[in-house]
Amino acid sequence: AAPADTADSLRTLVEASADRLALGHQVALSKWDSGAAVEDGGREAVVIMNAVSQGEGLGLERMWVAGLFRAQIEANKLVQYALLADWSRGGAPDHAPVDLVRDVRPQLDVAQKAMMAALPGVAPLRTRKTCRGEVAAAVGDYLYRRQLPAGTLDAIALDRALAGVCGG
Ligand SMILES: O=C(O)C(=O)C[C@]1(C(=O)O)C=C[C@@H](O)C=C1
């Protein structure tokens, strides 16, 4: 694919990753209410298995897809831990009850599908020397477009969420 195609796909991937990450706020609220642990190893395995098998249908390498989603999950946990720690000190924001299994995980699955659709176009970037710089720039563009300040929790976590794009 030409570099322009990669850039478009990367932009789509960054947006879908940010959408997935934003759901971490809802997940954290549900865990605040339920007292459940942030980490759910069984669910992580399901998320990664689903992504890998969807990726195989798209001709994507298993290890790459697994690494990509491991990074997404790690970033999601970063957001959850940070929010829960804040709320332990200051209280959680007012919110309606959040049903993790019925409401939030299906939305995570939708964001995952959007990410998967972008991956074939992003794959050629993996092996470029410029990969890390291009990913960092794409995140910077996203933050700029959304007027999200660098250094905030969501901005930091978005860089981490995309840590699996290069190499693998
Ligand atoms: O589904 C959850 O319980 C989440 O916290 C979300 C998520 C994910 O990013 O998919 C993150 C951490 C958990 O270990 C499992 C999955």
Side-chain angles (χ1 to χ4, degrees):
D5 300 332
T6 328
D8 282 347
S9 300
L10 183 57
R11 190 176 314 116
T12 304
L13 179 65
V14 169
E15 279 165 8
S17 295
D19 291 344
R20 191 181 194 285
L21 200 53
L23 291 165
H25 292 249
Q26 293 301 307
V27 179
L29 285 173
S30 82
K31 291 185 177 178
W32 174 262
D33 290 341
S34 69
V38 166
E39 190 164 275
D40 180 334
R43 171 63 182 173
E44 290 188 11
V46 168
V47 168
I48 292 170
M49 263 173 24
N50 285 342
V52 165
S53 92
Q54 288 166 6
E56 279 193 310
L58 297 165
L60 301 171
E61 266 177 52
R62 301 172 64 97
M63 295 305 286
W64 186 51
V65 174
L68 271 163
F69 279 87
R70 224 172 276 124
Q72 294 286 320
I73 290 169
E74 287 309 317
N76 202 289
K77 288 190 280 195
L78 174 66
V79 168
Q80 291 185 54
Y81 284 127
L83 291 174
L84 287 165
D86 273 351
W87 299 342
S88 302
R89 289 182 287 267
D94 289 336
H95 61 280
V98 180
D99 190 320
L100 178 64
V101 173
R102 202 195 56 197
D103 294 332
V104 189
R105 284 181 178 167
Q107 293 183 64
L108 288 164
D109 294 338
V110 170
Q112 170 169 332
K113 263 185 99 177
M115 288 180 56
M116 295 305 306
L119 288 185
V122 172
L125 187 66
R126 269 175 79 186
T127 50
R128 279 188 210 152
K129 278 204 184 95
T130 52
C131 185
R132 280 176 197 286
E134 289 186 59
V135 172
V139 170
D141 287 345
Y142 175 85
L143 297 176
Y144 180 78
R145 285 200 305 280
R146 300 294 168 103
Q147 303 198 312
L148 298 170
T152 54
L153 174 60
D154 289 313
I156 292 166
L158 186 55
D159 277 319
R160 296 304 304 153
L162 290 156
V165 173
C166 304

Short mmCIF file of all heavy atoms in Angstrom, two decimals, residues 99-122:
data_model
loop_
_atom_site.label_atom_id
_atom_site.label_comp_id
_atom_site.label_asym_id
_atom_site.label_seq_id
_atom_site.Cartn_x
_atom_site.Cartn_y
_atom_site.Cartn_z
N ASP A 99 -23.79 -1.73 33.53
CA ASP A 99 -23.73 -3.19 33.44
C ASP A 99 -22.59 -3.60 32.51
O ASP A 99 -22.68 -3.45 31.30
CB ASP A 99 -25.08 -3.73 32.93
CG ASP A 99 -25.17 -5.25 33.05
OD1 ASP A 99 -24.16 -5.94 32.79
OD2 ASP A 99 -26.27 -5.73 33.40
N LEU A 100 -21.52 -4.08 33.13
CA LEU A 100 -20.30 -4.41 32.36
C LEU A 100 -20.57 -5.43 31.26
O LEU A 100 -20.22 -5.21 30.10
CB LEU A 100 -19.23 -4.94 33.32
CG LEU A 100 -17.91 -5.38 32.70
CD1 LEU A 100 -17.18 -4.22 32.06
CD2 LEU A 100 -17.02 -6.07 33.74
N VAL A 101 -21.20 -6.53 31.64
CA VAL A 101 -21.34 -7.64 30.70
C VAL A 101 -22.39 -7.33 29.63
O VAL A 101 -22.18 -7.61 28.45
CB VAL A 101 -21.68 -8.94 31.45
CG1 VAL A 101 -22.00 -10.08 30.48
CG2 VAL A 101 -20.51 -9.33 32.36
N ARG A 102 -23.49 -6.71 30.06
CA ARG A 102 -24.58 -6.49 29.10
C ARG A 102 -24.34 -5.27 28.23
O ARG A 102 -24.69 -5.25 27.05
CB ARG A 102 -25.91 -6.34 29.86
CG ARG A 102 -27.13 -6.63 29.00
CD ARG A 102 -28.39 -6.13 29.67
NE ARG A 102 -28.29 -4.70 29.96
CZ ARG A 102 -29.08 -4.06 30.83
NH1 ARG A 102 -30.00 -4.72 31.51
NH2 ARG A 102 -28.94 -2.76 31.03
N ASP A 103 -23.73 -4.21 28.81
CA ASP A 103 -23.63 -2.94 28.08
C ASP A 103 -22.23 -2.60 27.60
O ASP A 103 -22.05 -2.19 26.45
CB ASP A 103 -24.11 -1.78 28.97
CG ASP A 103 -25.60 -1.89 29.29
OD1 ASP A 103 -26.32 -2.47 28.46
OD2 ASP A 103 -26.01 -1.41 30.35
N VAL A 104 -21.24 -2.74 28.47
CA VAL A 104 -19.93 -2.18 28.13
C VAL A 104 -19.10 -3.13 27.28
O VAL A 104 -18.50 -2.71 26.28
CB VAL A 104 -19.15 -1.76 29.40
CG1 VAL A 104 -17.91 -0.97 29.00
CG2 VAL A 104 -20.02 -0.93 30.33
N ARG A 105 -19.05 -4.40 27.64
CA ARG A 105 -18.24 -5.33 26.83
C ARG A 105 -18.72 -5.40 25.38
O ARG A 105 -17.88 -5.44 24.47
CB ARG A 105 -18.17 -6.70 27.50
CG ARG A 105 -17.20 -6.67 28.68
CD ARG A 105 -17.08 -8.01 29.38
NE ARG A 105 -16.10 -7.94 30.47
CZ ARG A 105 -15.95 -8.86 31.40
NH1 ARG A 105 -16.72 -9.94 31.39
NH2 ARG A 105 -15.04 -8.72 32.34
N PRO A 106 -20.04 -5.38 25.14
CA PRO A 106 -20.46 -5.34 23.72
C PRO A 106 -19.93 -4.09 22.99
O PRO A 106 -19.59 -4.16 21.81
CB PRO A 106 -21.99 -5.33 23.80
CG PRO A 106 -22.31 -6.00 25.10
CD PRO A 106 -21.20 -5.58 26.03
N GLN A 107 -19.83 -2.97 23.72
CA GLN A 107 -19.28 -1.76 23.08
C GLN A 107 -17.77 -1.90 22.84
O GLN A 107 -17.25 -1.40 21.84
CB GLN A 107 -19.55 -0.53 23.95
CG GLN A 107 -21.03 -0.16 24.06
CD GLN A 107 -21.23 1.11 24.87
OE1 GLN A 107 -20.79 2.18 24.48
NE2 GLN A 107 -21.87 0.99 26.02
N LEU A 108 -17.11 -2.57 23.76
CA LEU A 108 -15.68 -2.86 23.53
C LEU A 108 -15.52 -3.73 22.28
O LEU A 108 -14.60 -3.54 21.47
CB LEU A 108 -15.07 -3.57 24.74
CG LEU A 108 -14.86 -2.71 26.00
CD1 LEU A 108 -14.62 -3.58 27.23
CD2 LEU A 108 -13.68 -1.75 25.82
N ASP A 109 -16.44 -4.67 22.10
CA ASP A 109 -16.39 -5.54 20.92
C ASP A 109 -16.61 -4.75 19.63
O ASP A 109 -15.99 -5.06 18.60
CB ASP A 109 -17.43 -6.66 21.04
CG ASP A 109 -17.11 -7.63 22.19
OD1 ASP A 109 -15.95 -7.70 22.61
OD2 ASP A 109 -18.05 -8.32 22.66
N VAL A 110 -17.48 -3.75 19.70
CA VAL A 110 -17.73 -2.92 18.52
C VAL A 110 -16.47 -2.12 18.16
O VAL A 110 -16.07 -2.05 16.99
CB VAL A 110 -18.93 -1.96 18.75
CG1 VAL A 110 -19.03 -0.92 17.63
CG2 VAL A 110 -20.23 -2.75 18.86
N ALA A 111 -15.83 -1.54 19.18
CA ALA A 111 -14.59 -0.78 18.94
C ALA A 111 -13.52 -1.71 18.38
O ALA A 111 -12.74 -1.34 17.49
CB ALA A 111 -14.11 -0.12 20.23
N GLN A 112 -13.49 -2.93 18.88
CA GLN A 112 -12.52 -3.92 18.39
C GLN A 112 -12.72 -4.19 16.90
O GLN A 112 -11.76 -4.28 16.13
CB GLN A 112 -12.66 -5.21 19.19
CG GLN A 112 -11.87 -6.37 18.60
CD GLN A 112 -11.80 -7.55 19.54
OE1 GLN A 112 -11.85 -7.40 20.76
NE2 GLN A 112 -11.68 -8.73 18.98
N LYS A 113 -13.99 -4.30 16.49
CA LYS A 113 -14.28 -4.56 15.08
C LYS A 113 -13.78 -3.42 14.21
O LYS A 113 -13.23 -3.64 13.12
CB LYS A 113 -15.79 -4.75 14.86
CG LYS A 113 -16.21 -6.20 14.82
CD LYS A 113 -17.68 -6.34 14.48
CE LYS A 113 -17.92 -6.66 13.01
NZ LYS A 113 -19.37 -6.86 12.74
N ALA A 114 -13.97 -2.19 14.68
CA ALA A 114 -13.51 -1.02 13.93
C ALA A 114 -11.98 -1.03 13.83
O ALA A 114 -11.41 -0.69 12.78
CB ALA A 114 -13.99 0.26 14.59
N MET A 115 -11.33 -1.44 14.92
CA MET A 115 -9.87 -1.55 14.89
C MET A 115 -9.43 -2.60 13.87
O MET A 115 -8.50 -2.37 13.09
CB MET A 115 -9.33 -1.95 16.26
CG MET A 115 -9.40 -0.86 17.31
SD MET A 115 -8.74 -1.47 18.86
CE MET A 115 -7.10 -2.01 18.34
N MET A 116 -10.09 -3.75 13.90
CA MET A 116 -9.71 -4.86 13.01
C MET A 116 -9.77 -4.42 11.55
O MET A 116 -8.91 -4.76 10.75
CB MET A 116 -10.64 -6.07 13.20
CG MET A 116 -10.59 -6.74 14.55
SD MET A 116 -8.98 -7.30 15.13
CE MET A 116 -8.41 -8.30 13.77
N ALA A 117 -10.83 -3.64 11.22
CA ALA A 117 -11.01 -3.22 9.83
C ALA A 117 -9.84 -2.37 9.34
O ALA A 117 -9.51 -2.36 8.16
CB ALA A 117 -12.32 -2.44 9.69
N ALA A 118 -9.19 -1.65 10.28
CA ALA A 118 -8.07 -0.79 9.90
C ALA A 118 -6.75 -1.54 9.80
O ALA A 118 -5.80 -1.07 9.16
CB ALA A 118 -7.94 0.36 10.91
N LEU A 119 -6.67 -2.71 10.44
CA LEU A 119 -5.36 -3.36 10.58
C LEU A 119 -4.69 -3.80 9.28
O LEU A 119 -3.47 -3.64 9.14
CB LEU A 119 -5.46 -4.55 11.55
CG LEU A 119 -5.64 -4.16 13.02
CD1 LEU A 119 -5.61 -5.40 13.90
CD2 LEU A 119 -4.58 -3.16 13.46
N PRO A 120 -5.44 -4.34 8.30
CA PRO A 120 -4.74 -4.70 7.05
C PRO A 120 -4.03 -3.51 6.42
O PRO A 120 -2.94 -3.66 5.87
CB PRO A 120 -5.87 -5.23 6.16
CG PRO A 120 -6.91 -5.72 7.12
CD PRO A 120 -6.85 -4.76 8.28
N GLY A 121 -4.63 -2.33 6.53
CA GLY A 121 -4.01 -1.13 5.97
C GLY A 121 -2.84 -0.62 6.78
O GLY A 121 -1.97 0.08 6.25
N VAL A 122 -2.81 -0.96 8.07
CA VAL A 122 -1.74 -0.50 8.95
C VAL A 122 -0.53 -1.44 8.88
O VAL A 122 0.61 -1.02 9.09
CB VAL A 122 -2.24 -0.39 10.41
CG1 VAL A 122 -1.10 -0.10 11.38
CG2 VAL A 122 -3.30 0.71 10.53
#
